[in-house]
Amino acid sequence: QVQLVESGGGLVQAGGSLRLSCAPSRRTIGTYTMGWFRQAPGKEREFVAHINWSGDRTSYGDSVKGRFTISRDNAKSTTYLQMNSLKPEDTAVYYCAAKFSSSSRTGMWNDYDYWGQGTQVTVSS
């Protein structure tokens, strides 16, 4: 089984920036879409962003559009989430996910096949 590992979480002040990274624990065969989701305490998991294998298609949740940017470096098998202008409501555990299905759906958690353990992002007011 392929395991995804997130890193880069931490504590930042409102208005600050943070960059998350996600990579598989071992080299992966095939192409796959990557996504980021987040979950705050007491709330459902929320779609944040996705990026296709080629990196030419992305989408973002409404709450992060214009502030977050997803990117990937396939040579490093790493997907990134650059988070700018952070707000306290961005506080959550952030999860990366990999999707091997060729379906066009990318915005819901059950569209993905593999998940990381999550990394905590805390934004102070």
Side-chain angles (χ1 to χ4, degrees):
Q1 299 291 337
V2 175
Q3 290 184 318
L4 302 177
V5 181
E6 303 97 337
S7 62
L11 174 65
V12 297
Q13 294 184 5
S17 298
L18 206 59
R19 187 197 194 200
L20 306 183
S21 299
C22 174
S25 59
R26 64 182 184 181
R27 298 190 68 85
T28 303
I29 303 299
T31 61
Y32 49 93
T33 290
M34 292 295 297
W36 286 95
F37 289 75
R38 66 187 184 185
Q39 188 166 24
K43 297 184 178 180
E44 295 183 354
R45 192 163 296 189
E46 176 188 19
F47 171 74
V48 174
H50 105 277
I51 186 168
N52 70 343
W53 173 257
S54 300
D56 59 353
R57 294 192 66 179
T58 60
S59 67
Y60 298 90
D62 290 339
S63 62
V64 306
K65 287 180 180 178
R67 300 187 298 120
F68 291 10
T69 302
I70 188 171
S71 62
R72 69 192 300 167
D73 183 343
N74 290 338
K76 298 180 179 179
S77 298
T78 302
T79 303
Y80 305 96
L81 183 68
Q82 178 66 45
M83 305 183 293
N84 298 326
S85 301
L86 284 163
K87 305 174 181 179
E89 51 263 43
D90 294 319
T91 295
V93 176
Y94 283 70
Y95 300 89
C96 67
K99 176 181 183 294
F100 287 85
S101 171
S102 60
S103 69
S104 60
R105 294 174 56 181
T106 56
M108 293 186 290
W109 67 269
N110 57 356
D111 296 327
Y112 293 79
D113 303 296
Y114 298 97
W115 292 83
Q117 295 299 306
T119 185
Q120 177 70 46
V121 172
T122 302
V123 184
S124 61
S125 59

